[in-house]
Amino acid sequence: MQKIIIDEEFERILPKLDEQTYAWLEENILEYGCREPLVLWDGILIDGHNRYSILQKHDLSINTINMEFDSRDEVLIWIISTQVARRNLNPLQLSFYRGLHYHADKRIVTNAGGKNQYDEIASKNQLEPQNEVHPQGLQIEGPTAMRLAEHYNVSHSTISRDAQLANAISAIGEISPDAKKDILSGKTHITRKQLHELATGNNEDVSDIVDKIVDGRFESGRPGSGSGTSNGGSIGSGALRPWEVQFSKMTDEFRKVMRNHANADDTELVRSALKQYIGMLEELYQSI
C-alpha cells in the first residue's frame, strides 16, 4: 500500500470536525464503508484527513486516488476550492478561505511572471463530476483581487480585506491551533476590525490576543462589550458611527458599479452586482 504523508500546512487549513460530527462520520464508515477515496498528491494527503484517521483507527482498507499539481500553491487552491464547494461555511470561515486563496493565487501569478496558471490546473485534474470543484471561469486578465472577486461574487475590496483577515487568523493559528479553531467556529467572537488591526500589528499583539483567548480573558470589540469606541469617547448625535461610514462606502461602490457596468436590459450584470452588494452587507452585519 502506498505510504500516506500528512502535511501540517495542508492539515491546518482544514476545519476541524466537532466531536459529534466526527462520531457520526466514524459510525457511518463502520456501517457502510468509506465510499470516497482519499486524495493524494505525491503521496501527501490533500483530502480525507478525518476519514483517514478513522480508517487507521479500525485497521480498515484505504482506497486512494492521485492528482497532479505543479506546486504547493496549486494544491492549496484545490483544497480551498474543495472546502468551499463541499461545506456549509460560516461567513468568517468563507472569508478566511477567500483570503488564503488570494495569497496562493498571488504567489502563482508572481512565480509565473504575471501569468495565471490555474486554468491549466482545472483542465488537467478531473475527478468524478460530483467532486469537480475547480473554479472554472477564473479570468486571466486583471489584478488577482478582481479575478477572485468575480469568481466568488464579492467586491475586490472584500477580497483584499479577506487577505488581511487570513493573515491574522493564520498568525493566531501558528501560536495556538485551538484559538484559531475557536475563532473560525464562532466559539470565540473576534470582530473583523480586531482581526484587520492584528494583520498590521506585530507578534506581541497576536500573542497577547491568543493569551487572552486561551485564558478566557478575551473581550470582543462588539459594541456594548466594554471595549468602548474607537476614539475612546461616546459618539455624538451628529457623528457617523463606524458601521455607518462603511455602509455609505459600500453603497457608493455599488452605485458606481451599477452606473458603469449595468443597464436595465443586462440581467446577468445586475444580478452579479446585487450579489456582491448582498455579500458586503453580510460582512458588515457580521462586524457589528
Side-chain angles (χ1 to χ4, degrees), residues 41-243:
W41 169 63
D42 285 348
I44 299 173
L45 183 62
I46 61 176
D47 183 57
H49 289 75
N50 292 301
R51 283 172 281 143
Y52 178 56
S53 67
I54 292 169
L55 293 172
Q56 276 196 312
K57 176 182 176 181
H58 297 281
D59 196 25
L60 300 174
S61 61
I62 299 174
N63 185 28
T64 65
I65 60 172
N66 292 279
M67 299 185 69
E68 295 183 4
F69 297 94
D70 293 330
S71 70
R72 289 181 63 86
D73 284 318
E74 292 178 359
V75 178
L76 282 170
I77 290 176
W78 185 87
I79 293 173
I80 291 165
S81 299
T82 301
Q83 298 308 311
V84 170
R86 175 184 293 165
R87 297 179 185 272
N88 183 22
L89 303 174
N90 65 44
L92 187 61
Q93 289 171 326
L94 187 54
S95 291
F96 176 64
Y97 279 127
R98 288 195 303 248
L100 292 180
H101 191 162
Y102 171 86
H103 290 303
D105 194 272
K106 191 76 174 178
R107 288 190 295 267
I108 290 175
V109 172
T110 300
N111 293 335
K115 298 179 181 179
N116 188 281
Q117 300 172 343
Y118 204 71
D119 288 339
E120 295 181 13
I121 306 172
S123 64
K124 72 182 181 183
N125 291 290
Q126 300 291 328
L127 291 177
E128 293 300 318
Q130 63 269 25
N131 293 329
E132 180 54 61
V133 293
H134 298 290
Q136 298 276 3
L138 281 181
Q139 299 299 312
I140 295 177
E141 69 275 12
T144 301
M146 292 295 290
R147 288 188 283 102
L148 294 187
E150 181 178 351
H151 172 61
Y152 286 109
N153 288 311
V154 297
S155 69
H156 65 88
S157 58
T158 293
I159 296 295
S160 298
R161 289 192 296 270
D162 290 341
Q164 284 188 315
L165 181 145
N167 282 341
I169 294 179
S170 295
I172 290 172
E174 289 289 335
I175 300 174
S176 172
D178 288 337
K180 173 186 169 184
K181 174 186 175 182
D182 288 346
I183 289 172
L184 287 174
S185 68
K187 181 178 179 181
T188 296
H189 181 82
I190 181 170
T191 66
R192 290 171 184 265
K193 180 181 179 182
Q194 287 173 309
L195 288 171
H196 291 150
E197 289 173 350
L198 281 180
T200 57
N202 53 47
N203 293 335
E204 291 182 1
D205 295 328
V206 178
S207 297
D208 182 56
I209 288 286
V210 171
D211 288 342
K212 289 178 179 178
I213 292 174
V214 172
D215 296 340
R217 296 179 291 113
F218 176 74
E219 292 186 7
S220 169
R222 275 179 168 175
S225 66
S227 62
T229 61
S230 59
N231 60 6
S234 61
I235 301 176
S237 60
L240 288 177
R241 288 164 289 188
W243 69 265

